[in-house]
Structure formats: structure tokens, C-alpha cells
Amino acid sequence: MTPPRLSLKILLVLCAVANQAGAQEPTVVPLWPNGAPGFEARKDVPENVKKKGPLEQSVTNVNNPSLTVYLPAKDKASGAGIVICPGGGHSVLAIEHEGHNVGQWLADHGIAGFVLKYRLAREKGSPYTIEEHAYQDAQRALRLVRSKATDWHVNKLGIMGFSAGGDLVLYSSTKFDAGKTDATDMVERESSRPDFQIAIYPAIAKNLTFAKNDPPALLLCGNQDRQNISEGLASLYLNMKKAGINTELHIYASVGHGFGLRDKANLRVAGWPARVREWMIDLDMMKGTQAR
């Protein structure tokens, strides 16, 4: 008799129980101790959070950007980490299926996950912009993880983004720097260049210039997504390939927008996290691990 299929939610719970002896509970770390530069007075303004049980489903009114840190058990840690940028049209963060579920899955499979709460430029009344403030948050997240690489056992660091979070992936992977060597803030001395980039049904950021030294890229979407995303991603792949960037593209049949990592996933696309892990192993981003 074929055993009943377990839902993603049950699997996540079972994995968490199995790892609780070694894995650390998620912690929240602000990107800047005193608040975002120029907006320190907004540091303590509360977020608007929608929850289902203990887990955040969506978040708005982000003024004190932060990382929720999911670390694997030490005996499973691969040395790889990923900053995760949820989508939501820059007006909300879809932080459950494009954030916390992903961070937990990564930690359960040996990869440190860092879920980024970034400032929302298209939220009503927002004083922020995508190109300056949301992108600044992604840069700072990469620098912050690198500054704590020894404590968090991360030696290869990438960035992953869903939908609007794809803007931050593409900006971070084309507009990086080596850090400011004379900065008084030690975090700002770290490089903002990701070692790899993963864009999942991304919004296609404008005014991008690709170069051969941009980090290798993995691109994923569904063929029933909006035309500007499904066809835009195919064009993005060709532009990256033309620039000499090591790029891989997956377009899933019969799949639309926003699949993320859900309890009830379309079976056509449910295996995408395993494809990400295999790709990372192929790129030698996970030391001492093998694909299973």
C-alpha cells in the first residue's frame, strides 16, 4: 500500500522536531543597531503583521529593516547561506511562503537562511524608494551576514528573491562593491557582492548592465505567469548568457505566479528547492555535501 502523502506543513514540523537538538531557533537581527540611516526616528514604529498561528504571513510598515536568521544544526551546516527577499509588489512582504518557509527549508538542508524585511517603496505614504532604500537594505544584509560569517558558519553567501524581491537580487548582483575599507561601521567594510543569485518569478529591474564577473544565476518561473515575467525571464537569461554569466533557467509548465514554498504546492513546481540545492552543489557552494 502506498503511504499517504505528507503535506509541506507536516514535513516542516517534522524536520523542525528532528533538528531541534542541534538547530538554533530563528532570531531577529536589525540591519542597523540605531535604525536605517536618515530614518533613525522611525526605528521604533511598529510593523503591521498578519499572522496565522505563530508564523508571520505578511508584513507592512517596515521602518527598522532586519534579518530573521535560520541556522542549520552544526553537524549539517554546509558553509552556504542565502539572504531571502520576499515579494509583495513593494507594498507588502509575503513573508510566509516567500520567506520563513524558505528559511526553514534551507536550514533543514544545511544552508543558513536569512529572511530580509526590507523597506517598502510602494506602500501608501511610504518615504522610501526601491533603487535607494530597499536596495540599500539588501546590500546591508549581505554585508551584515559577511561580518558575522564566523559566528554563523557562512563562507559562501548568495541572495534569493521572489517577484518584487527579484529587483533586489538583480540590483545586488550588478551594482555591488568591495566595501568601504575606511568605514567606522565595521559592517560597511564588507563586500556587498553575492557569490550567487537566485531570481524566482522576479520583477525585472530596469537599467541593468551585466558583466562577466557578475555572480552565477539561477532563474525560475512558471510559463503561465504574466508575460512581462515569463518572457522577461527568458530575455534576462539570454542577456546574462551574452554577458558571459554562468546562468541556468527553469520555466515550469502549467504554473503561474507566486508559488513560493507553500503547504499545498503545485506538484509541477514543488521540487524547486531541491533544484536550488543541487545547483549550489554543482557550483561548489556547499563544501563537504553531496546531492541526495
Side-chain angles (χ1 to χ4, degrees), residues 139-184:
Q139 277 194 308
R140 177 72 177 190
L142 290 161
R143 297 190 208 276
L144 179 60
V145 175
R146 285 217 164 91
S147 76
K148 295 181 177 291
T150 300
D151 294 338
W152 289 341
H153 305 286
V154 173
N155 51 49
K156 292 291 185 180
L157 179 63
I159 187 167
M160 172 191 293
F162 299 82
S163 194
D167 280 331
L168 306 188
V169 169
L170 295 171
Y171 282 134
S172 298
S173 300
T174 57
K175 303 175 185 293
F176 49 82
D177 62 65
K180 306 171 183 66
T181 57
D182 58 348
T184 55

Coordinates of all heavy atoms in Angstrom, one line a residue, residues 139-184:
Q139 N 21.8 45.3 0.2 CA 23.3 45.5 0.4 C 23.7 45.3 1.8 O 24.7 44.6 2.1 CB 23.7 46.8 -0.1 CG 23.9 47.0 -1.6 CD 24.6 48.3 -1.9 OE1 24.2 49.4 -1.5 NE2 25.7 48.2 -2.7
R140 N 23.0 46.0 2.7 CA 23.4 45.9 4.1 C 23.3 44.5 4.7 O 24.1 44.0 5.5 CB 22.5 46.9 4.9 CG 22.8 46.8 6.4 CD 24.1 47.5 6.8 NE 24.3 47.5 8.3 CZ 25.2 48.1 8.9 NH1 26.1 48.8 8.2 NH2 25.3 48.1 10.2
A141 N 22.2 43.8 4.2 CA 22.0 42.4 4.6 C 23.2 41.5 4.3 O 23.7 40.7 5.1 CB 20.7 41.8 4.1
L142 N 23.7 41.7 3.0 CA 24.8 40.9 2.6 C 26.1 41.2 3.4 O 26.8 40.3 3.8 CB 25.1 41.1 1.1 CG 24.0 40.5 0.1 CD1 24.1 41.2 -1.2 CD2 24.2 39.0 0.0
R143 N 26.3 42.5 3.6 CA 27.4 42.9 4.4 C 27.3 42.4 5.9 O 28.3 41.9 6.5 CB 27.5 44.4 4.5 CG 27.8 45.1 3.1 CD 28.1 46.6 3.3 NE 27.7 47.4 2.2 CZ 28.5 47.6 1.1 NH1 29.6 47.0 1.0 NH2 28.0 48.4 0.2
L144 N 26.1 42.4 6.4 CA 25.9 42.0 7.8 C 26.2 40.5 8.0 O 26.9 40.1 8.9 CB 24.5 42.4 8.3 CG 24.1 41.9 9.7 CD1 25.0 42.6 10.7 CD2 22.7 42.2 10.0
V145 N 25.7 39.7 7.1 CA 26.0 38.3 7.2 C 27.5 38.0 7.1 O 28.0 37.2 7.8 CB 25.2 37.5 6.1 CG1 25.6 36.0 6.2 CG2 23.7 37.6 6.3
R146 N 28.1 38.7 6.1 CA 29.6 38.5 6.0 C 30.3 38.9 7.3 O 31.3 38.3 7.6 CB 30.1 39.3 4.8 CG 29.7 38.7 3.5 CD 30.8 38.8 2.4 NE 30.6 37.9 1.3 CZ 29.9 38.1 0.2 NH1 29.3 39.3 0.1 NH2 29.7 37.2 -0.7
S147 N 29.8 40.0 7.9 CA 30.5 40.4 9.2 C 30.4 39.4 10.3 O 31.2 39.4 11.2 CB 29.9 41.8 9.6 OG 28.7 41.6 10.2
K148 N 29.4 38.5 10.2 CA 29.1 37.5 11.2 C 29.4 36.1 10.6 O 28.9 35.1 11.2 CB 27.7 37.6 11.7 CG 27.4 38.9 12.4 CD 26.0 39.0 13.0 CE 25.7 40.2 13.8 NZ 26.4 40.2 15.0
A149 N 30.2 36.0 9.6 CA 30.4 34.8 8.9 C 31.0 33.7 9.8 O 30.6 32.5 9.7 CB 31.3 35.0 7.7
T150 N 31.9 34.1 10.7 CA 32.5 33.1 11.6 C 31.5 32.6 12.6 O 31.4 31.3 12.8 CB 33.7 33.7 12.3 OG1 34.6 34.2 11.4 CG2 34.3 32.7 13.3
D151 N 30.7 33.4 13.2 CA 29.7 33.0 14.1 C 28.6 32.2 13.5 O 28.1 31.2 14.1 CB 29.0 34.2 14.8 CG 30.0 35.0 15.6 OD1 31.0 34.5 16.1 OD2 29.8 36.2 15.9
W152 N 28.2 32.5 12.2 CA 27.1 31.9 11.6 C 27.6 30.8 10.6 O 26.8 30.1 9.9 CB 26.2 32.9 10.8 CG 25.4 33.7 11.8 CD1 25.1 33.5 13.1 CD2 24.8 35.0 11.4 NE1 24.4 34.5 13.6 CE2 24.2 35.5 12.6 CE3 24.8 35.8 10.3 CZ2 23.5 36.7 12.7 CZ3 24.1 37.0 10.4 CH2 23.5 37.4 11.5
H153 N 28.9 30.5 10.5 CA 29.5 29.4 9.7 C 29.1 29.6 8.3 O 28.6 28.6 7.6 CB 29.1 28.1 10.3 CG 29.4 27.9 11.8 ND1 30.7 27.7 12.2 CD2 28.6 27.9 12.9 CE1 30.7 27.6 13.5 NE2 29.5 27.8 14.0
V154 N 29.2 30.8 7.7 CA 28.9 31.0 6.3 C 30.2 31.4 5.6 O 30.8 32.4 5.9 CB 27.8 32.1 6.2 CG1 27.6 32.5 4.7 CG2 26.5 31.7 6.8
N155 N 30.5 30.7 4.6 CA 31.7 31.1 3.7 C 31.3 31.3 2.3 O 32.1 31.8 1.5 CB 32.9 30.1 3.9 CG 32.4 28.7 3.6 OD1 31.8 28.4 2.6 ND2 32.8 27.8 4.5
K156 N 30.1 30.9 1.9 CA 29.6 31.3 0.5 C 28.2 31.8 0.7 O 27.3 31.2 1.3 CB 29.5 30.0 -0.3 CG 30.9 29.4 -0.7 CD 31.6 30.4 -1.7 CE 32.9 29.7 -2.2 NZ 33.6 30.6 -3.1
L157 N 28.0 33.1 0.2 CA 26.7 33.8 0.5 C 26.1 34.2 -0.8 O 26.7 34.9 -1.6 CB 27.0 35.0 1.4 CG 25.8 35.8 1.8 CD1 24.8 35.1 2.6 CD2 26.2 37.1 2.5
G158 N 24.8 33.8 -0.9 CA 24.0 34.2 -2.1 C 22.8 35.0 -1.7 O 22.5 35.3 -0.5
I159 N 22.0 35.4 -2.7 CA 20.8 36.2 -2.5 C 19.7 35.6 -3.4 O 20.0 35.2 -4.5 CB 21.0 37.7 -2.8 CG1 19.8 38.5 -2.4 CG2 21.4 38.0 -4.2 CD1 20.0 40.0 -2.3
M160 N 18.5 35.4 -2.8 CA 17.4 34.9 -3.5 C 16.2 35.9 -3.3 O 16.0 36.4 -2.3 CB 17.0 33.5 -2.8 CG 15.7 32.9 -3.3 SD 15.1 31.5 -2.3 CE 16.4 30.3 -2.6
G161 N 15.4 36.1 -4.4 CA 14.3 37.0 -4.3 C 13.1 36.5 -5.1 O 13.3 35.8 -6.2
F162 N 11.9 36.7 -4.6 CA 10.7 36.3 -5.3 C 10.0 37.6 -5.7 O 9.8 38.6 -5.0 CB 9.8 35.6 -4.3 CG 10.4 34.3 -3.7 CD1 11.3 34.4 -2.6 CD2 10.0 33.1 -4.2 CE1 11.8 33.2 -2.1 CE2 10.5 31.9 -3.7 CZ 11.4 32.0 -2.7
S163 N 9.5 37.6 -7.0 CA 8.7 38.7 -7.5 C 9.4 40.0 -7.3 O 10.5 40.2 -7.8 CB 7.3 38.6 -6.9 OG 6.4 39.4 -7.6
A164 N 8.8 40.9 -6.5 CA 9.4 42.2 -6.2 C 10.8 42.0 -5.6 O 11.7 42.9 -5.8 CB 8.5 43.1 -5.4
G165 N 11.0 41.0 -4.8 CA 12.3 40.7 -4.2 C 13.3 40.4 -5.3 O 14.5 40.6 -5.0
G166 N 12.9 40.1 -6.5 CA 13.8 39.9 -7.6 C 14.5 41.1 -8.0 O 15.6 41.1 -8.5
D167 N 13.8 42.3 -7.8 CA 14.5 43.6 -8.1 C 15.8 43.7 -7.2 O 16.8 44.1 -7.7 CB 13.6 44.7 -7.6 CG 12.5 45.1 -8.7 OD1 12.8 44.9 -9.9 OD2 11.5 45.6 -8.2
L168 N 15.7 43.3 -6.0 CA 16.8 43.4 -5.1 C 17.9 42.4 -5.4 O 19.1 42.7 -5.3 CB 16.4 43.2 -3.6 CG 15.2 44.1 -3.2 CD1 14.9 43.9 -1.7 CD2 15.4 45.5 -3.5
V169 N 17.5 41.2 -5.9 CA 18.5 40.3 -6.4 C 19.3 40.8 -7.6 O 20.6 40.8 -7.6 CB 17.9 38.9 -6.8 CG1 18.9 38.0 -7.5 CG2 17.3 38.2 -5.6
L170 N 18.6 41.4 -8.5 CA 19.3 41.9 -9.7 C 20.1 43.1 -9.5 O 21.2 43.3 -10.0 CB 18.2 42.1 -10.8 CG 17.5 40.8 -11.3 CD1 16.4 41.2 -12.2 CD2 18.5 39.9 -12.0
Y171 N 19.6 44.0 -8.6 CA 20.4 45.2 -8.3 C 21.6 44.8 -7.5 O 22.8 45.2 -7.8 CB 19.6 46.2 -7.4 CG 18.6 47.0 -8.2 CD1 17.3 47.2 -7.7 CD2 19.0 47.7 -9.3 CE1 16.4 48.0 -8.4 CE2 18.1 48.5 -10.0 CZ 16.8 48.6 -9.5 OH 15.9 49.4 -10.2
S172 N 21.5 43.9 -6.6 CA 22.6 43.4 -5.7 C 23.7 42.7 -6.5 O 24.9 42.8 -6.2 CB 22.1 42.5 -4.6 OG 21.2 43.2 -3.7
S173 N 23.2 42.0 -7.6 CA 24.2 41.2 -8.4 C 24.8 42.0 -9.5 O 25.7 41.4 -10.2 CB 23.4 40.0 -8.9 OG 22.9 39.2 -7.9
T174 N 24.4 43.3 -9.7 CA 25.0 44.1 -10.8 C 25.6 45.4 -10.3 O 26.3 46.0 -11.0 CB 24.0 44.4 -11.9 OG1 22.8 45.1 -11.3 CG2 23.5 43.1 -12.6
K175 N 25.3 45.8 -9.1 CA 25.7 47.1 -8.5 C 26.4 46.9 -7.2 O 26.2 47.7 -6.3 CB 24.5 48.0 -8.4 CG 23.7 48.2 -9.7 CD 22.4 49.0 -9.4 CE 21.6 49.2 -10.7 NZ 22.2 50.0 -11.7
F176 N 27.2 45.9 -7.1 CA 27.9 45.6 -5.8 C 29.2 46.4 -5.7 O 29.7 46.9 -6.7 CB 28.1 44.1 -5.7 CG 28.8 43.5 -7.0 CD1 30.1 43.6 -7.2 CD2 27.9 42.9 -7.9 CE1 30.7 43.0 -8.3 CE2 28.5 42.3 -9.1 CZ 29.9 42.4 -9.3
D177 N 29.8 46.3 -4.5 CA 31.1 46.9 -4.3 C 31.9 46.1 -3.3 O 31.3 45.2 -2.6 CB 31.0 48.4 -3.8 CG 30.3 48.5 -2.5 OD1 30.8 48.0 -1.4 OD2 29.2 49.1 -2.4
A178 N 33.2 46.3 -3.2 CA 34.1 45.5 -2.3 C 34.0 46.0 -0.8 O 34.7 45.4 0.0 CB 35.5 45.6 -2.8
G179 N 33.2 47.0 -0.5 CA 33.2 47.5 0.9 C 34.0 48.8 1.0 O 34.9 49.1 0.1
K180 N 33.8 49.5 2.1 CA 34.5 50.7 2.3 C 35.6 50.5 3.4 O 35.2 50.4 4.6 CB 33.5 51.8 2.8 CG 32.3 52.0 1.8 CD 31.2 52.9 2.4 CE 30.1 53.0 1.4 NZ 29.3 51.7 1.2
T181 N 36.8 50.4 3.0 CA 37.9 50.0 3.9 C 38.1 50.9 5.0 O 38.6 50.5 6.1 CB 39.2 49.8 3.1 OG1 39.5 51.1 2.4 CG2 39.1 48.7 2.0
D182 N 37.7 52.2 4.9 CA 37.9 53.2 6.0 C 36.7 53.5 6.8 O 36.6 54.4 7.6 CB 38.5 54.5 5.4 CG 37.5 55.1 4.4 OD1 36.6 54.4 3.9 OD2 37.8 56.3 4.0
A183 N 35.6 52.7 6.6 CA 34.3 52.9 7.3 C 34.5 52.7 8.8 O 35.2 51.7 9.2 CB 33.2 52.0 6.7
T184 N 33.9 53.6 9.6 CA 33.9 53.4 11.0 C 33.0 52.3 11.5 O 33.2 51.6 12.5 CB 33.5 54.7 11.8 OG1 32.3 55.1 11.3 CG2 34.6 55.8 11.5

